[in-house]
Amino acid sequence: MQGLMMDVPLTLKLFMLRAAQYFPNKEIVTRRQQDYHRYDYRTWYQRVQRLAGGLRSLNIQKGDRVGTLAWNTHRHLELYFAVPCMGAVLHTLNLRLPDDELVYIINHAGDRVIFVDDSLLPLLVRIRERLQTVEHVIWMSDQPNSETPPETLNYETLLSAEVPVFDWPEIEETAALAMCYTSGTTGLPKGVVYSHRAIVLHTFAAALKDALGIGEADVVMPVVPMFHALTWGIPFVATMLGCKQVFPGRYLQPESIAQILEDEQVTISGGVPSIWLPLQEILSNGEYDLSHLRTMPVGGSAAPRSLIEAYERMGIQIIHAWGMTETSPLGTISRIKSDLARLSEEEQLRIRSKQGLPVPGIELRGIDEQGLEIPWDGKTMGELQVRGPWVIQAYFQDERNDESFTEDGWFRTGDVITIDGEGYIQIVDRTKDLVKSGGEWISSLDLENAIMSHPEVVEAAVIAIPHVRWQERPLAVVVVKGSPPHREEIFAILRERFAKWQLPDDIVYVDEIPKTSVGKFDKKMLRAQFAKHRVDV
Ligand code: AMP
């Protein structure tokens, strides 16, 4: 027997029209060099309609790829909706990638148009000649009246010249909405293509009280870049609900972020740990009024427990989430089950620093080297595999598809987890970052977390270095605030929690840990840098 409900396609248009109709006066704010740009959803929607008209005038058809090389701004939000709702595919480009990778990604995706922020134009100009499919470059600037650079079209001219779109096309829910290339792979980046259906379902789930927990009254600021995993879906959730939205532009220095949080009375702001770590000190001295800020979703890499604790002391709740570009990206989130609220604060913190439970809609399992499911004992390690309506089914035109999926249809994340008796997962490593010493696995993340609990430590990355007897041994690379603490102090912390054979062979102090284009520790680079590091133990 069939259900007798309407078969309305799940497309992004539903959220766009709702926001325009019911919340026309809510604000969308962007930080500029000297001030803030602000307008309301009414104006935003009018501009989205004109932008869609502009794309039509450039002969952009259903399924065509439209690239963006841009910071978090209101214009990027216009593109986030106009492009998919007129049937084209939004392709957000990671502005921190090396030239060769950007060229590969743009050519591989076949972008026909690229919208570029003024400050990023030199980057595009540098690679322009190598782009095989790009017909138009659209220049976006806070000073649109200044002279339009050669061989580009002015974004504002495109919008003002065009007939707004009122007749949004019917789009199948399985059609592509956006694409994004992963940063997490070795070798060439892989393309992930999101469908309207996946993003609509992800948006509903992400908004849930037990997920990101966002409501209409929230003031939402994504610090996670709009080019990374669709900003974790935050702009879609905020638009669906009609929230006030705030964008930091390219002003990501800790002082700027703190100022925006205060000025715009932001209530929820998401970003990777490397954004919140340096901010912690500035915020804790009480200089800024953050009384409105209640929640910060943190993910992308492990949120150290010390970070969760530090923000908790300021009355700001960090919710630790795990996800991947391939999972749209929200996969798990760590919130305390109500029947665990009886646990001590200490115990609760321990759980909150894990990556949590799957969000409704996602199924997960841990698989060991024999292909068996790991027990829920909080100790046995296995690869995290996931399945769900917003999880990737195949990479875009990529021969490496086979290795990423199991025969029974699960996605192999490449992350190594344990699962505790309550079902909370803990990421212990990437498969390629685990340290295998004398046949035993050592979790680099566990060691990093413990080292970062030393008050003088700002960042710590643990990597495997080759060892004649044990094949691999852990090495800790550490950044400190002032003068380096005595090695013994750090080892004392570690000895309380780890067996002797799990301790790093050495601790080296550096000024900075190299980061990837999306702000994670670049362990590949660290391994190369310290490959010859030897310790006599
Ligand atoms: P990306 O596709 O760039 O978002 O990277 C996804 C990868 O980031 C995952 O496979 C994990 O290795 C890592 N990751 C994301 N969130 C977390 C987290 N909360 N804790 C530890 N690692 C994480």
Side-chain angles (χ1 to χ4, degrees):
M1 184 175 167
Q2 287 290 307
L4 292 173
M5 292 291 139
M6 293 183 185
D7 191 15
V8 176
L10 302 177
T11 65
L12 200 59
K13 186 172 74 173
L14 292 172
F15 300 156
M16 175 180 72
L17 298 181
R18 180 176 191 271
Q21 193 162 14
Y22 295 103
F23 302 98
N25 302 321
K26 294 291 289 285
E27 269 188 312
I28 297 169
V29 181
T30 304
R31 169 73 205 265
R32 293 193 291 211
Q33 191 165 20
Q34 305 292 347
D35 59 2
Y36 293 98
H37 170 277
R38 48 185 85 236
Y39 63 20
D40 54 26
Y41 274 85
R42 180 183 292 106
T43 313
W44 169 77
Y45 181 55
Q46 287 163 357
R47 287 171 59 85
V48 169
Q49 288 175 300
R50 290 209 304 256
L51 172 54
L55 288 164
R56 279 188 185 170
S57 74
L58 296 176
N59 194 27
I60 293 298
Q61 305 284 333
K62 271 190 179 174
D64 283 346
R65 267 76 73 198
V66 173
T68 60
L69 194 56
W71 299 101
N72 291 16
T73 68
H74 59 289
R75 285 182 291 263
H76 215 162
L77 188 70
E78 292 163 5
L79 285 154
Y80 255 54
F81 281 81
V83 175
C85 290
M86 58 92 62
V89 183
L90 178 81
H91 177 198
T92 52
L93 297 165
N94 181 341
L95 52 91
R96 299 210 177 92
L97 287 181
D99 288 4
D100 287 351
E101 270 184 47
L102 261 184
V103 170
Y104 170 81
I105 284 173
I106 295 169
N107 288 339
H108 189 262
D111 293 346
R112 289 189 57 198
V113 185
I114 293 184
F115 288 77
V116 58
D117 271 347
D118 190 22
S119 61
L120 300 167
L121 188 62
L123 164 55
L124 194 63
V125 169
R126 208 164 59 219
I127 58 173
R128 180 75 181 87
E129 283 213 326
R130 298 162 65 194
L131 306 180
Q132 294 154 1
T133 54
V134 175
E135 297 157 39
H136 306 282
V137 173
I138 321 287
W139 174 71
M140 302 188 287
S141 169
D142 286 336
Q143 274 95 38
N145 296 329
S146 53
E147 201 181 328
T148 307
E151 296 176 44
T152 66
L153 298 172
N154 186 321
Y155 185 76
E156 295 302 327
T157 314
L158 182 74
L159 262 65
S160 56
E162 292 314 324
V163 189
V165 165
F166 295 104
D167 57 332
W168 294 101
E170 282 305 320
I171 298 170
E172 282 178 35
E173 65 178 26
T174 49
L177 173 150
M179 65 191 302
C180 205
Y181 280 70
T182 57
S183 55
T185 46
T186 43
L188 290 169
K190 298 178 182 177
V192 177
V193 183
Y194 306 99
S195 64
H196 277 263
R197 178 187 147 84
I199 295 308
V200 167
L201 292 173
H202 178 270
T203 307
F204 285 137
L208 289 175
K209 190 168 171 208
D210 288 348
L212 298 181
I214 302 181
E216 179 269 330
D218 274 310
V219 179
V220 181
M221 177 164 84
V223 180
V224 48
M226 292 180 88
F227 58 75
H228 185 203
L230 292 181
T231 340
W232 301 351
I234 294 171
F236 297 129
V237 174
T239 305
M240 168 180 81
L241 298 171
C243 304
K244 171 177 168 182
Q245 299 191 56
V246 182
F247 295 100
R250 60 189 165 93
Y251 305 99
L252 300 174
Q253 306 75 7
E255 291 78 9
S256 303
I257 299 285
Q259 196 62 56
I260 309 171
L261 291 171
E262 176 180 292
D263 288 349
E264 296 305 319
Q265 305 190 342
V266 172
T267 63
I268 176 160
S269 184
V272 291
S274 56
I275 287 283
W276 305 120
L277 280 164
L279 205 67
Q280 179 180 323
E281 219 158 313
I282 300 182
L283 297 186
S284 62
N285 66 20
E287 219 178 289
Y288 296 90
D289 173 10
L290 298 176
S291 49
H292 294 88
L293 186 59
R294 59 177 185 85
T295 303
M296 292 185 348
V298 174
S301 48
R305 182 185 155 143
S306 49
L307 184 80
I308 301 179
E309 260 177 319
Y311 278 88
E312 195 77 19
R313 280 198 293 275
M314 294 185 255
I316 301 162
Q317 188 193 33
I318 285 190
I319 342 170
H320 193 192
W322 168 90
M324 302 178 75
T325 305
E326 288 90 335
T327 61
S328 294
L330 199 53
T332 70
I333 202 141
S334 204
R335 288 186 180 272
I336 302 288
K337 291 183 190 178
S338 59
D339 56 359
L340 298 180
R342 61 187 152 73
L343 296 177
S344 67
E345 226 171 89
E346 172 69 20
E347 275 293 293
Q348 294 195 26
L349 258 175
R350 208 175 52 74
I351 296 176
R352 285 180 46 208
S353 56
K354 297 186 176 191
Q355 282 72 8
L357 303 172
V359 291
I362 292 289
E363 290 174 276
L364 64 80
R365 65 186 186 187
I367 299 291
D368 70 12
E369 280 177 310
Q370 280 74 47
L372 301 172
E373 276 203 37
I374 57 169
W376 285 20
D377 61 5
K379 289 201 294 273
T380 313
M381 295 183 197
E383 185 190 27
L384 172 60
Q385 301 186 351
V386 292
R387 182 162 80 166
W390 54 87
V391 174
I392 188 169
Q393 185 184 328
Y395 289 101
F396 179 62
Q397 295 178 357
D398 204 300
E399 285 167 3
R400 293 164 292 177
N401 264 318
D402 288 353
E403 67 205 41
S404 306
F405 301 92
T406 65
E407 276 180 10
D408 59 345
W410 292 66
F411 172 62
R412 304 184 54 183
T413 64
D415 285 329
V416 182
I417 53 163
T418 57
I419 309 180
D420 70 17
E422 292 284 346
Y424 287 84
I425 66 155
Q426 179 158 20
I427 306 273
V428 291
D429 240 316
R430 292 287 297 163
T431 32
K432 58 181 191 310
D433 291 339
L434 270 173
V435 184
K436 196 164 198 180
S437 170
E440 295 290 338
W441 297 110
I442 301 174
S443 157
S444 63
L445 277 184
D446 280 352
L447 285 169
E448 287 162 11
N449 237 320
I451 299 171
M452 283 196 255
S453 70
H454 188 290
E456 282 303 306
V457 173
V458 186
E459 286 178 332
V462 171
I463 52 164
I465 49 168
H467 192 279
V468 186
R469 178 160 176 212
W470 304 112
Q471 289 84 49
E472 286 181 355
R473 289 294 302 152
L475 170 76
V477 185
V478 175
V479 180
V480 289
K481 276 183 213 152
S483 52
H486 198 274
R487 292 159 47 93
E488 256 321 296
E489 289 178 30
I490 292 181
F491 275 111
I493 296 177
L494 295 178
R495 267 190 222 104
E496 276 175 31
R497 301 180 210 174
F498 297 90
K500 192 157 173 266
W501 61 271
Q502 294 175 313
L503 301 181
D505 278 4
D506 200 4
I507 297 172
V508 287
Y509 294 107
V510 294
D511 293 338
E512 203 181 337
I513 292 178
K515 307 269 179 359
T516 68
S517 59
V518 287
K520 302 177 197 206
F521 293 154
D522 191 339
K523 292 197 176 174
K524 207 161 83 184
M525 188 175 280
L526 276 181
R527 277 193 293 265
Q529 201 175 330
F530 290 100
K532 297 211 162 60
H533 190 87
R534 292 284 174 274
V535 197
D536 300 323
V537 283

